[in-house]
Amino acid sequence: IPEYTGLDAANVNVYPNPACNYINVEINLPFVGNLEFELFDCFGRKVKEIKLKRPTQSVSLAGVNEGMYFYRVRSGSKVFGKGKILVVR
């Protein structure tokens, strides 16, 4: 995952963590539009990509196996937040 490029990670909240069936992605900024939420496995493979349509959005974890994942929220090459999430079943 490319390096974090600027804004404070506190601008993006992803919860609950650990998660089971879904996560909520909350953007604490004036909504930029064209934001994408990406989820990567421990090998760096993208397992989910969702276009965010509003400042708080639920993301289904259907089809995502149990384990540790890395996420990032970006618009183009600008990363607004990233972190880790644990998926449990």
Side-chain angles (χ1 to χ4, degrees):
I1 297 176
E3 284 300 308
Y4 184 69
T5 58
L7 298 174
D8 186 340
N11 291 320
V12 176
N13 294 319
V14 176
Y15 59 91
N17 192 5
C20 183
N21 298 316
Y22 72 93
I23 51 176
N24 294 304
V25 180
E26 181 179 85
I27 311 298
N28 298 317
L29 298 166
F31 195 64
V32 177
N34 295 323
L35 288 175
E36 293 181 353
F37 173 84
E38 299 171 311
L39 192 65
F40 300 88
D41 67 13
C42 62
F43 299 106
R45 295 178 296 217
K46 190 184 299 183
V47 296
K48 189 164 280 279
E49 181 176 28
I50 301 291
K51 295 208 182 293
L52 300 176
K53 298 177 182 161
R54 53 194 166 278
T56 300
Q57 186 168 328
S58 290
V59 175
S60 170
L61 295 175
V64 175
N65 293 326
E66 224 176 43
M68 179 67 70
Y69 292 86
F70 301 92
Y71 68 84
R72 73 176 168 195
V73 174
R74 68 177 182 90
S75 179
S77 62
K78 190 167 193 172
V79 176
F80 289 92
K82 68 179 185 176
K84 294 182 272 189
I85 191 125
L86 179 62
V87 176
V88 295
R89 300 285 185 215

